[in-house]
Amino acid sequence: MDKQIQLKIKRQDQPGAGPYWEEFRVPYKPNMNIVSVLMEIRKNPVNARGESTNPVVWECNCLEEVCGACTMLINGVPRQSCSALIDKIYEKTGFGTPITLAPLSKFPVIRDLMVDRKIMFDNLKKVKAWVPVDGSFAIGRGPRFTDRAHRWAYIISRCMTCGCCMEACPNVSAKSQFIGPAAIAQVRLFNVHPIGAMHQEERFEALVGAGGIQECGNAQNCRQVCPKEIPLTTHIAAMNRQSLKYTLKRWFTT
């Protein structure tokens, strides 16, 4: 008998609907990832009981761990489904062990494994995570980073806004306004930029406001699950110090 991959997928037909689990079996091929397995289900949407069903809905774009769209819970761990190789998963669990797929729990579910990560982009807007260079005027050559700043700033710039850090953070919940690790790290990135630094006070205001850096409980889960291995806790600690300095300065100068 051909080898088969067993999947247990948490599904939801529409926003607000009740979730349910459905099992699938997919013929095994070497070098498959979770996305390719879901594509096989899409081609032949039949569950493990032999019943026709709706194709599983998920989101993906780049298929090379750059866009961050395909994040989901794979065996309970938030990660990118494009880089989740079946062979690697089975090295840990043993071949034939059911693989569970579920949507991220900290974001509204659109359908099945697809979630709405709008809150992350709203948080980036809140902290003004961009360099304001738009205009009709000539701005000349761009300013240079120091080599030291460039080394760690580049690492932060690899953030995909995938949601893994938000999912793993115990301080992110429906009852919390916490902006999350990714937005805090982006504040450091754009504050160190020679042009972005001109608006650092606005970013600090957002950072020390409601849902800001004071909501971080230093659980350090974010660093463990970041697919780009960004040292988020290091940058959060740096912004914590800078935010304190900003707050003290504001108190003594107003």
Side-chain angles (χ1 to χ4, degrees), residues 83-134:
S83 59
L85 303 180
I86 298 298
D87 294 330
K88 293 292 185 181
I89 294 173
Y90 281 151
E91 282 180 9
K92 295 182 178 180
T93 65
F95 190 91
T97 304
I99 299 173
T100 61
L101 305 181
L104 298 178
S105 64
K106 302 293 180 73
F107 303 88
V109 176
I110 297 175
R111 185 173 175 182
D112 292 341
L113 304 173
M114 185 177 183
V115 299
D116 184 358
R117 292 176 293 130
K118 179 178 180 293
I119 185 64
M120 292 196 72
F121 299 98
D122 289 343
N123 290 335
L124 292 178
K125 293 178 183 177
K126 184 182 295 185
V127 299
K128 294 180 169 56
W130 61 81
V131 176
V133 295
D134 291 339

Side-chain angles (χ1 to χ4, degrees), residues 18-65:
Y20 60 96
W21 290 91
E22 192 166 23
E23 296 185 14
F24 295 87
R25 293 191 180 94
V26 175
Y28 168 81
K29 299 176 184 177
N31 304 318
M32 295 181 81
N33 61 8
I34 292 296
V35 170
S36 62
V37 173
L38 291 172
M39 286 180 174
E40 290 297 318
I41 295 175
R42 184 172 62 185
K43 288 191 294 185
N44 184 31
V46 176
N47 63 25
R49 294 186 293 182
E51 302 167 340
S52 295
T53 186
N54 292 322
V56 178
V57 175
W58 81 100
E59 186 177 13
C60 67
N61 289 309
C62 70
L63 298 180
E64 54 185 4
E65 203 178 59

Side-chain angles (χ1 to χ4, degrees), residues 17 19 35 45-46 71 85 145 164 169 176 203 213 216 234 240 242 248:
V35 170
V46 176
T71 310
L85 303 180
F145 271 75
C164 286
C169 179
S176 169
R203 297 190 188 95
I213 196 168
C216 175
T234 299
N240 206 357
Q242 293 180 29
L248 292 174

Side-chain angles (χ1 to χ4, degrees), residues 152-228:
W152 58 259
Y154 172 72
I155 296 174
I156 304 176
S157 72
R158 299 173 66 208
C159 176
M160 303 180 291
T161 320
C162 65
C164 286
C165 62
M166 296 279 283
E167 178 67 25
C169 179
N171 297 94
V172 175
S173 69
K175 299 180 180 180
S176 169
Q177 295 179 299
F178 184 40
I179 60 176
I184 296 173
Q186 292 301 304
V187 170
R188 191 180 191 200
L189 172 64
F190 289 101
N191 276 2
V192 77
H193 191 280
I195 297 177
M198 293 189 295
H199 297 268
Q200 61 178 307
E201 289 189 1
E202 296 178 45
R203 297 190 188 95
F204 278 127
E205 282 295 323
L207 209 56
V208 301
I213 196 168
Q214 70 278 1
E215 299 290 335
C216 175
N218 197 31
Q220 303 194 30
N221 294 2
C222 54
R223 180 165 188 161
Q224 296 180 28
V225 300
C226 178
K228 293 301 183 181

